[in-house]
Amino acid sequence: MRYQQSDPDVRLMLRVRDDDAGAFEELVRRYEARLVRLMHTLGPSHQLAEDLTQEIFLRVYRARKRYEPGAKFSTWLFTIAGNVARNSTRTLSRRREVNEVDAPRGSDAPSDAQLLASTALEASGLMPTRLSEGSERAEMVRQAVQSLSERQRMALMLSRFENMSYIEIAETMELTPKAVKSLLSRARVNLKEILQPYVDSGLITKEVES
């Protein structure tokens, strides 16, 4: 992708490359909240999301002398974010393998999506008022997104919240645009499956599902 001369973040990063501390602080200000949101979707806790965001900015700073403008700055940045997220996921997976012994699941056992849905519906019977609040509905959707695979979550977040095109997401995730389109399609199908019991029970609306 050709360097966009009009991209102000690219110009800021070029100043960071020249050791302009103020430019780096401005990039942090512009992207910190967005990265925390992305990492929180990919990870299990807000604290971890903040730690991963700091790791991303540390990598950006360390890579400043090697930075060459070739794509939108946000694409370059979210590529780094994706690498950090994948490393974190591998670390967490290894810890789970050490600390947990997973029981074998029979062919008739419920899927993760079905377990998530049934748990939420059971809880809804205990606190229907709270679940009618916007924050509770948002948490349902967040948990549904969390149940997706890491790559589906990443593609969905970049598409929905960063408004990236298939080509930009493909470059960020090191995939083909066709693979990105397939990931997003599967993510939407999986989310619909997870959220449908909530819609049927009236806990959330179709607008939230979509």
Side-chain angles (χ1 to χ4, degrees):
M1 185 178 298
R2 296 180 59 187
Y3 162 43
Q4 300 290 329
Q5 292 282 349
S6 60
D7 188 342
D9 293 334
V10 167
R11 294 198 297 270
L12 273 176
M13 188 60 204
L14 289 174
R15 288 167 53 193
V16 173
R17 189 178 66 179
D18 294 333
D19 296 323
D20 185 332
F24 184 69
E25 291 175 2
E26 176 63 17
L27 283 177
V28 172
R29 187 189 68 79
R30 291 186 182 189
Y31 283 94
E32 185 172 24
R34 292 162 65 179
L35 286 170
V36 168
R37 179 178 62 188
L38 176 63
M39 293 297 106
H40 193 199
T41 302
L42 299 174
S45 73
H46 187 76
Q47 182 59 55
L48 178 60
E50 292 182 339
D51 291 344
L52 293 177
T53 297
Q54 293 305 311
E55 172 66 19
I56 293 165
F57 284 123
L58 180 60
R59 291 195 184 193
V60 167
Y61 189 76
R62 287 174 175 170
R64 69 191 187 283
K65 294 298 184 181
R66 302 190 302 274
Y67 177 73
E68 292 294 338
K72 289 176 61 177
F73 173 79
S74 59
T75 302
W76 181 75
L77 177 65
F78 284 109
T79 300
I80 294 175
N83 291 334
V84 169
R86 283 189 290 274
N87 290 340
S88 175
T89 299
R90 283 194 291 267
T91 299
L92 291 172
S93 296
R94 284 195 293 269
R95 288 176 183 172
R96 283 195 293 269
E97 289 171 0
V98 171
N99 295 327
E100 298 178 2
V101 178
D102 293 329
R105 178 180 291 180
S107 59
D108 59 343
S111 67
D112 291 340
Q114 292 168 329
L115 286 172
L116 177 63
S118 63
T119 299
L121 287 173
E122 289 171 5
S124 71
L126 299 176
M127 46 183 185
T129 301
R130 288 191 61 213
L131 284 170
S132 66
E133 298 173 0
S135 61
E136 295 295 332
R137 292 195 299 272
E139 178 62 16
M140 282 185 182
V141 175
R142 193 187 73 80
Q143 289 293 334
V145 173
Q146 285 278 17
S147 72
L148 300 176
S149 71
E150 176 199 335
R151 294 206 304 174
Q152 288 179 18
R153 291 199 305 271
M154 174 67 91
L156 187 66
M157 289 297 292
L158 293 178
S159 173
R160 192 67 180 267
F161 294 104
E162 296 302 327
N163 297 315
M164 286 188 175
S165 66
Y166 288 161
I167 293 176
E168 290 171 332
I169 297 172
E171 186 170 349
T172 298
M173 298 183 66
E174 299 180 350
L175 299 170
T176 64
K178 183 178 180 180
V180 169
K181 185 176 182 179
S182 177
L183 270 178
L184 288 172
S185 177
R186 291 200 302 272
R188 294 184 183 109
V189 169
N190 290 340
L191 279 178
K192 183 176 182 180
E193 175 190 351
I194 296 166
L195 294 174
Q196 191 60 49
Y198 305 156
V199 174
D200 293 343
S201 65
L203 293 178
I204 62 175
T205 64
K206 282 189 173 294
E207 288 76 11
V208 173
E209 179 193 19
S210 61

